[in-house]
């Protein structure tokens, strides 16, 4: 199935995986979980994958193509939200007993949606821009640019989302700890899977342009 692929072929596949991960992360973000004495949104289990793919796109295909995928992901996520909202508004038949649960899982407040959209765009673009900039500074230091771009991108994403979404609903110190822990967890995730990221980047670079 994946034999004889070119860079162009993989660009389309990577774009599909990226948008799918983004939509899934926004669905599961509504549930938080306990991480030692901290609370984190469940999206941290998949959202770092988005930044890893972002690194691959920026490293192999450049900033402009990475930016194109980022904005495409934004549009696809917006379409998903619109579809969820219309579905929730549609009247349910009497035999359907799960309307409330469906609305809780797939519904979202305007505040959370705006916070998520702004955080995603800013964090993703900063991540891609840093990857490309650091590559120009020193092309040999892939590890440094992957981790640095992820840390700054994830930190901005966490700061914007958590501040806009939860400011005023919890103590400020708890809010800042949530920002810090989310950025650290996602960056550590990137460090752990870096060998895989490096392998994927090297493999795609070796493919014909096609």
């Amino acid at each position: 199935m994946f034999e004889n692929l070119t860079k162009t072929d993989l660009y389309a596949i990577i774009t599909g995986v990226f948008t799918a991960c983004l939509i899934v992360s926004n669905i599961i973000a509504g549930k938080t979980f306990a991480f030692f004495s901290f609370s984190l949104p469940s999206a941290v289990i998949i959202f770092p994958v988005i930044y890893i793919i972002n690194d691959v796109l920026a490293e192999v295909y450049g900033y402009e193509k990475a930016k194109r995928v980022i904005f495409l992901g934004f549009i696809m996520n917006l379409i998903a939200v619109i579809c969820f909202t219309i579905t929730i508004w549609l009247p349910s038949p009497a035999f359907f007993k799960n309307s409330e649960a469906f609305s809780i899982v797939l519904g979202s407040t305007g505040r959370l949606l705006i916070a998520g959209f702004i955080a995603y765009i800013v964090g993703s673009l900063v991540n891609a821009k840093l990857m490309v900039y650091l590559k120009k500074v020193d092309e040999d230091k892939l590890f440094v640019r992957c981790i640095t771009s992820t840390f700054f991108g994830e930190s901005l994403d966490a700061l914007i989302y958590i501040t806009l979404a939860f400011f005023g609903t919890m103590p400020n110190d708890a809010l800042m700890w949530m920002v810090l822990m989310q950025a650290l967890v996602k960056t550590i995730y990137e460090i752990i899977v870096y060998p895989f990221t490096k392998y994927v980047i090297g493999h795609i670079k070796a493919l014909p342009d096609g």
Side-chain angles (χ1 to χ4, degrees):
M1 179 180 178
F2 295 107
E3 295 178 359
N4 302 318
L5 291 176
T6 65
K7 288 180 183 177
T8 302
D9 296 328
L10 273 180
Y11 180 73
I13 294 172
I14 291 170
T15 299
V17 174
F18 182 91
T19 54
C21 288
L22 178 62
I23 293 171
V24 170
S25 72
N26 286 330
I27 293 174
I28 66 177
K31 182 182 185 299
T32 58
F33 68 96
F35 183 73
F36 295 102
S37 58
F38 304 99
S39 295
L40 292 173
S42 296
V44 297
I45 67 175
I46 192 171
F47 200 75
V49 176
I50 296 171
Y51 275 78
I52 293 168
I53 297 175
N54 194 330
D55 288 346
V56 173
L57 286 168
E59 177 71 18
V60 177
Y61 298 98
Y63 178 71
E64 288 303 318
K65 285 193 174 182
K67 183 172 70 172
R68 192 179 302 164
V69 174
I70 290 167
F71 280 108
L72 177 63
F74 175 88
I75 293 170
M76 293 299 100
N77 190 47
L78 181 60
I79 291 173
V81 169
I82 292 172
C83 290
F84 296 156
T85 303
I86 293 173
T87 304
I88 290 169
W89 284 348
L90 291 174
S92 301
F95 63 81
F96 188 72
K97 305 299 182 181
N98 299 316
S99 290
E100 184 177 354
F102 187 91
S103 300
I104 291 172
V105 173
L106 295 180
S108 184
T109 65
R111 180 178 179 178
L112 292 179
L113 286 175
I114 292 171
F117 283 148
I118 295 174
Y120 161 72
I121 288 293
V122 174
S124 297
L125 289 178
V126 167
N127 181 83
K129 195 72 174 179
L130 267 176
M131 276 292 293
V132 174
Y133 171 76
L134 292 174
K135 185 177 181 179
K136 292 178 180 178
V137 174
D138 191 340
E139 189 169 353
D140 295 330
K141 295 182 178 178
L142 177 62
F143 177 80
V144 172
R145 56 181 176 270
C146 283
I147 305 308
T148 302
S149 63
T150 295
F151 176 75
F152 281 100
E154 293 282 15
S155 295
L156 278 173
D157 183 282
L159 178 62
I160 293 170
Y161 178 74
I162 292 174
T163 301
L164 292 180
F166 301 112
F167 182 77
T169 65
M170 64 176 67
N172 289 340
D173 58 340
L175 186 145
M176 292 311 299
W177 272 113
M178 185 183 289
V179 170
L180 178 62
M181 287 305 300
Q182 182 165 325
L184 285 177
V185 167
K186 291 178 177 180
T187 303
I188 292 170
Y189 187 112
E190 168 83 34
I191 293 172
I192 293 172
V193 301
Y194 170 74
F196 177 73
T197 305
K198 181 181 179 181
Y199 169 79
V200 171
I201 289 173
H203 180 73
I204 297 176
K205 282 184 173 180
L207 294 175
D209 292 333

